[in-house]
Amino acid sequence: MAANLTDLHAFLAVAHSRGFRDAARTLGVSPTTLSTTVQRLETSLGIRLLHRTTRSVTPTEAGHRLIERLAPALGEVEAALAAINGFRDRPAGTLRLNVPVSAARLVLPAILPGFLALYPDIQMEVVAEDGFVDVLAAGCDAGVRYDDRLEQDMIAVPIGPRVQRLAIAAAPVYFKHLERPMHPRDLLRHRCLRGRFGNGALMSPWEFERDGETVRIEPQGPLIVTISGAMDLAVDMAIAGVGIIALFEDWLRPHFLSGALVPVLQDWWPSFPGPHLYYSGRRLVPPPLRAFLDFIKLANEKSTEGSGQ
């Protein structure tokens, strides 16, 4: 009974993607080739690892057990091989990050240009999704998440802005025949554009705070979008006057500056801590990740000095 690393990586990719087509796209091979590879692995092991139907691909009980033990083990192998780069003049290799869409849009653009310029031998691979993710099982070196979504037993390092705000906004045309909300509860009489997380949960309730008072409401409206991939659609609909949107202040700021959107209930906008980069402390830290950690820690120090804290 034998299996090579290529076949094991292929199996993990299919199990994580829950399908051969997406996994094949990630690995740069055809779905047929990938299916043949996984079948070869199952044959060599003498056991079925995946349930296959026309609609889905899911791990069998044996497949789940293999994933639990295999993902960390392959991570150690990759880290050990990457450690060889430490003997080079500069860190090299691939750094894989799993981040929420908001971080890909609002945090990484301020960081990656300087980092990639400083380390030209490092290739970044960024996967943007908003659900809970086991970064090791997903084949990533590290992830970016907010406090309430950090995995346990992980080392977390602040990345990006330390404080962010949730902004409420609408287009001027929306208020042409409607009164502006003066209190968060007034939103219950308005059309609100809402978001749904990848796990199916609505981004609800909307929470507001001012002078020690906290107000939570359950907004209603004509449009719900998936946060991981369709928030730009919600922004476009807000600009078109369809309804009121709640989103990161930094995301909406360009539209405030252009006048396409206007702030709503600005005195009530809640603040929350910024995101963290997190990674496993139970494995060797690959040189590309170590270089990235050093880079963002230095950026954090400069930001603290600049703010006078």
Side-chain angles (χ1 to χ4, degrees):
M1 181 171 61
N4 62 47
L5 289 179
T6 300
D7 292 357
L8 294 173
H9 273 294
F11 163 68
L12 278 184
V14 174
H16 173 64
S17 299
R18 300 285 174 153
F20 286 92
R21 188 175 300 278
D22 289 343
R25 188 180 301 112
T26 300
L27 296 177
V29 299
S30 70
T32 300
T33 298
L34 192 55
S35 178
T36 301
T37 300
V38 174
Q39 289 177 4
R40 180 173 65 232
L41 175 63
E42 291 177 322
T43 299
S44 68
L45 296 178
I47 191 168
R48 180 176 292 275
L49 300 174
L50 296 171
H51 293 301
R52 303 164 175 84
T53 70
T54 57
R55 295 186 176 182
S56 66
V57 176
T58 58
T60 64
E61 182 178 357
H64 276 297
R65 185 66 58 86
L66 181 59
I67 291 169
E68 291 174 356
R69 303 295 296 272
L70 182 61
L74 286 182
E76 289 294 337
V77 171
E78 290 183 353
L81 294 175
I84 297 174
N85 288 327
F87 293 98
R88 297 166 56 99
D89 293 335
R90 295 179 296 187
T94 300
L95 174 58
R96 300 179 180 88
L97 299 181
N98 187 289
V99 308
V101 172
S102 59
R105 186 184 185 96
L106 306 176
V107 176
L108 294 185
I111 296 174
L112 294 193
F115 175 74
L116 294 175
L118 186 61
Y119 297 103
D121 294 328
I122 292 179
Q123 174 181 308
M124 295 285 297
E125 183 176 335
V126 178
V127 178
E129 54 187 347
D130 284 280
F132 291 95
V133 176
D134 182 336
V135 292
L136 298 183
C140 294
D141 301 294
V144 174
R145 289 296 184 273
Y146 288 84
D147 286 343
D148 60 341
R149 293 190 165 219
L150 288 175
E151 295 185 29
Q152 296 181 349
D153 302 324
M154 289 284 184
I155 298 174
V157 177
I159 183 172
R162 299 316 327 124
V163 178
Q164 295 180 287
R165 288 203 302 176
L166 182 69
I168 311 297
V173 67
Y174 176 81
F175 293 116
K176 188 173 182 179
H177 302 292
L178 295 170
E179 292 186 5
R180 291 197 182 206
M182 302 302 294
H183 188 279
R185 295 190 185 91
D186 295 340
L187 291 172
L188 296 174
R189 298 193 297 270
H190 285 267
R191 300 190 301 272
C192 297
L193 311 178
R194 294 171 290 166
R196 188 185 298 278
F197 294 107
N199 62 5
L202 281 172
M203 192 181 80
S204 184
W206 287 6
E207 184 173 302
F208 301 86
E209 58 185 36
R210 187 178 72 175
D211 300 331
E213 179 184 2
T214 299
V215 178
R216 296 179 180 86
I217 68 163
E218 296 285 349
Q220 300 297 318
L223 179 67
I224 298 174
V225 302
T226 302
I227 292 175
S228 61
M231 283 311 299
D232 281 333
L233 172 62
V235 173
D236 289 342
M237 293 303 98
I239 292 173
V242 174
I244 296 176
I245 191 171
L247 196 56
F248 289 87
E249 179 184 8
D250 292 339
W251 198 319
L252 298 179
R253 181 174 290 111
H255 305 297
F256 292 149
L257 295 176
S258 71
L261 294 174
V262 294
V264 175
L265 297 171
Q266 193 165 4
D267 291 343
W268 287 89
W269 292 357
S271 300
F272 52 93
H276 288 74
L277 179 81
Y278 70 98
Y279 62 99
S280 174
R282 300 187 301 273
R283 56 175 291 186
L284 296 171
V285 177
L289 176 56
R290 171 53 58 195
F292 191 61
L293 288 168
D294 292 341
F295 187 84
I296 63 173
K297 286 178 181 178
L298 180 59
N300 288 340
E301 292 174 2
K302 290 181 178 179
S303 177
T304 301
E305 293 173 358
S307 63
Q309 296 180 352

